[in-house]
Amino acid sequence: MVIYDNHARPINYLRISVTDRCNLRCFYCMPEEGINYLPKKELLSYEEMERMVKVMAKLGISKIRITGGEPFLRRDLMPFLRKISQTEGIKEIHITTNGVLTAPHIPELKAIGIKSVNLSIDTLDRENFKKITRRDELPKVLHCLDELLKNEIAVKINAVVMEGKNIDDLIPLAELSKNAPIDVRFIEEMPFNGEGNHYPVLLWTHKKIVALLMSHYPEMYKLIDAANSTSYNYQIPNYKGTVGVIAAFTRSFCGTCNRIRVTAQGVLKTCLYDDGVLDIKKLMRQGATDEELTQVLLKAFRNRAKDGYEAEQMRTTQGTFMESMSTIGG
Ligand code: SAM
Ligand code: SF4
């Protein structure tokens, strides 16, 4: 079964933020202090998430990304991953992690059949990592990268590009794609940091990031992007991996968007830029049947904003974004 939204886009990809908690404090994602984590009962339980996945799989969701906060901070994540990997209709599970606690779980991730891991690394310089994430954890993250490669789990690096913070780190990060099959993805910074806009205008747009890469790698060439890809992908000749740029702020990929999100609070977002269109947790806890959930989900899928700009217009909370990416999941 494939469900198409009201703009003829198939929906088959669900991203679940399993916790809003994190062991890092990335500058672009969370304030350094004063974070009010959700009480545990405000999170979807594993049983609720499993039920939600089952209902959505019947509606054509076949790909899932587990994210957070830091997903490996949530207790008993591995049995949950195993369970959803066995759900009929679910063909691929991917994980986004900061890599601090991930390495010991890698053999089990491999055994479960996790398709790929996105590892967030914004710099390879330990001091700068400490400044950006406000924690001294780079060695553990790099160990995680080594273990992923050793276990032959496909790996992408996510790096948010930040004026005045990691511009000199972009080429060393791109170099990770030289000797290993690593896809390095540079992401435009979005204003989801729990504090509002960091800049009056975004300086490091995808165009400027590509120009910087081009100036360093004049022979870099464009690849044909996979359908529904959010990144513009490039090959540096003779490199084993690829580099790519994600226009997350300038929102140029909305026309083929196949993804929906469920936040750590159990709220459905059919666009990254909306402020939540359906409270799945509330419905479940009020006793909705699977059939009732199916009907309200279908209605939400068929009422999607055309793009991130329209979704922003439709927000009930107008003005500055005050959410943190840790509840949305990236
Ligand atoms: N903690 C995990 C991690 O960092 O990979 C998973 C959750 S994190 C919210 C998911 C992704 O969102 C990360 O790759 C992170 O770099 C990205 N992200 C967070 N805040 C962002 C922002 N304001 N703009 C762009 N990307 C952001
Ligand atoms: Fe934590 Fe990921 Fe947000 Fe960094 S980006 S603070 S690692 S949730």
Side-chain angles (χ1 to χ4, degrees):
M1 172 162 192
V2 186
I3 300 288
Y4 288 86
D5 72 9
N6 44 322
H7 303 283
R9 297 170 294 196
I11 299 179
N12 57 16
Y13 176 13
L14 166 67
R15 302 171 60 106
I16 310 175
S17 172
V18 296
T19 177
D20 61 332
R21 287 168 196 259
C22 195
N23 44 1
L24 301 184
R25 288 288 178 279
C26 303
F27 158 82
Y28 48 78
C29 180
M30 279 193 190
E32 186 163 11
E33 280 167 15
I35 300 157
N36 292 319
Y37 283 138
L38 295 165
K40 189 153 181 266
K41 65 176 182 349
E42 294 300 322
L43 298 176
L44 282 179
S45 68
Y46 283 130
E47 290 72 24
E48 287 167 331
M49 285 191 270
E50 283 158 24
R51 180 176 169 212
M52 176 180 82
V53 167
K54 257 192 207 152
V55 170
M56 291 204 190
K58 290 203 176 116
L59 287 174
I61 293 293
S62 57
K63 170 177 174 181
I64 293 184
R65 177 170 301 279
I66 300 301
T67 172
E70 176 45 40
F72 288 92
L73 271 183
R74 184 142 178 196
R75 215 181 301 153
D76 295 330
L77 181 73
M78 300 310 286
F80 169 67
L81 292 178
R82 198 171 276 281
K83 263 268 181 52
I84 58 167
S85 73
Q86 291 160 351
T87 303
E88 202 181 323
I90 300 304
K91 297 197 184 95
E92 298 177 17
I93 300 177
H94 304 255
I95 299 178
T96 303
T97 173
N98 64 29
V100 175
L101 299 171
T102 315
H105 301 290
I106 290 174
E108 203 179 342
L109 294 178
K110 178 86 182 169
I112 292 174
I114 297 303
K115 185 108 191 272
S116 77
V117 171
N118 282 13
L119 191 58
S120 302
I121 311 181
D122 308 302
T123 172
L124 295 174
D125 178 88
R126 188 165 176 173
E127 279 310 306
N128 206 21
F129 185 93
K130 228 175 3 178
K131 276 190 205 141
I132 293 170
T133 67
R134 296 142 170 160
R135 299 289 185 272
D136 185 16
E137 300 285 20
L138 183 62
K140 284 188 197 143
V141 180
L142 294 179
H143 172 63
C144 172
L145 176 58
D146 281 347
E147 291 298 308
L148 287 167
L149 292 171
K150 260 192 228 153
N151 283 271
E152 296 181 342
I153 295 185
V155 48
K156 285 187 185 156
I157 301 289
N158 285 351
V160 178
V161 178
M162 293 160 281
E163 169 63 12
K165 298 247 183 263
N166 67 343
I167 304 308
D168 292 343
D169 298 287
L170 303 192
I171 299 304
L173 285 165
E175 283 295 298
L176 286 175
S177 70
K178 184 172 186 175
N179 296 318
I182 299 175
D183 297 325
V184 182
R185 299 287 176 256
F186 297 105
I187 310 177
E188 286 178 350
E189 184 178 349
M190 292 175 270
F192 297 119
N193 48 51
E195 299 174 308
N197 280 339
H198 279 150
Y199 323 98
V201 283
L202 183 78
L203 221 61
W204 286 92
T205 61
H206 64 288
K207 287 190 182 151
K208 193 162 166 184
I209 301 168
V210 171
L212 181 137
L213 292 170
M214 280 287 185
S215 70
H216 196 85
Y217 302 110
E219 291 179 354
M220 178 176 104
Y221 59 90
K222 181 84 186 63
L223 294 167
I224 296 171
D225 300 321
N228 313 116
S229 170
T230 50
S231 52
Y232 301 111
N233 301 314
Y234 298 83
Q235 183 72 55
I236 303 165
N238 303 318
Y239 279 35
K240 290 193 174 146
T242 64
V243 292
V245 182
I246 302 181
F249 184 74
T250 44
R251 294 163 241 189
S252 58
F253 45 65
C254 304
T256 56
C257 180
N258 62 341
R259 63 199 59 200
I260 54 172
R261 293 171 165 80
V262 174
T263 66
Q265 298 95 322
V267 170
L268 175 74
K269 284 165 75 77
T270 54
C271 172
L272 179 54
Y273 284 86
D274 69 38
D275 54 358
V277 297
L278 186 70
D279 192 336
I280 297 179
K281 181 184 68 202
K282 190 168 157 199
L283 285 167
M284 281 185 171
R285 293 188 186 174
Q286 283 172 346
T289 62
D290 284 0
E291 181 50 31
E292 284 162 347
L293 284 176
T294 303
Q295 290 311 319
V296 284
L297 284 169
L298 273 175
K299 193 167 165 210
F301 292 179
R302 290 176 175 149
N303 266 302
R304 283 179 90 200
K306 158 169 115 280
D307 55 31
Y309 294 101
E310 189 176 288
E312 192 177 340
Q313 289 295 315
M314 285 157 61
R315 287 169 72 91
T316 49
T317 46
Q318 288 289 328
T320 316
F321 295 101
M322 291 309 288
E323 303 111 292
S324 157
M325 200 58 114
S326 60
T327 61
I328 305 172

